[in-house]
Amino acid sequence: MKEFYTSVVELRQPIKNIFLTEPYECGWANEALFFLTVHPEMADFAKIVVRPKISPDGIHWIDAPAGATSVDKPGTIAIAQSHFGGWLCLELSLAGATQSALITLHLALKG
């Protein structure tokens, strides 16, 4: 029987500039699915570049091979990861210094 676990990694977190989500240890899982929600009540941005990051130890990070995703409006998107070592997080980059957003991030793991 497969194991399944969902965690709220960030809850209604305001972001600006470059934001790195809390790292999450998930080496037991075969697949991971981020659900990123950008809330409409604080969505003063043109684009958010979302880049999955992977790590063998939770200290040293590199960009995941899958590449970046762009968000240009409020709502929820899903970002799948299947080869990630032991740790995962997301880097969110807003284009301008005055831009901001409010996010919630769930991480669903299956293994």
Side-chain angles (χ1 to χ4, degrees), residues 51-67:
R51 192 170 278 108
K53 304 288 237 177
I54 59 176
S55 172
D57 56 12
I59 300 168
H60 303 96
W61 295 90
I62 60 172
D63 292 344

Side-chain angles (χ1 to χ4, degrees), residues 50-52 63-69 79 81:
V50 183
R51 192 170 278 108
D63 292 344
T69 301
I79 302 166
Q81 294 293 297

Side-chain angles (χ1 to χ4, degrees), residues 85-99:
W87 293 77
L88 281 170
C89 74
L90 290 182
E91 178 186 271
L92 296 98
S93 302
L94 285 85
T98 61
Q99 296 185 20

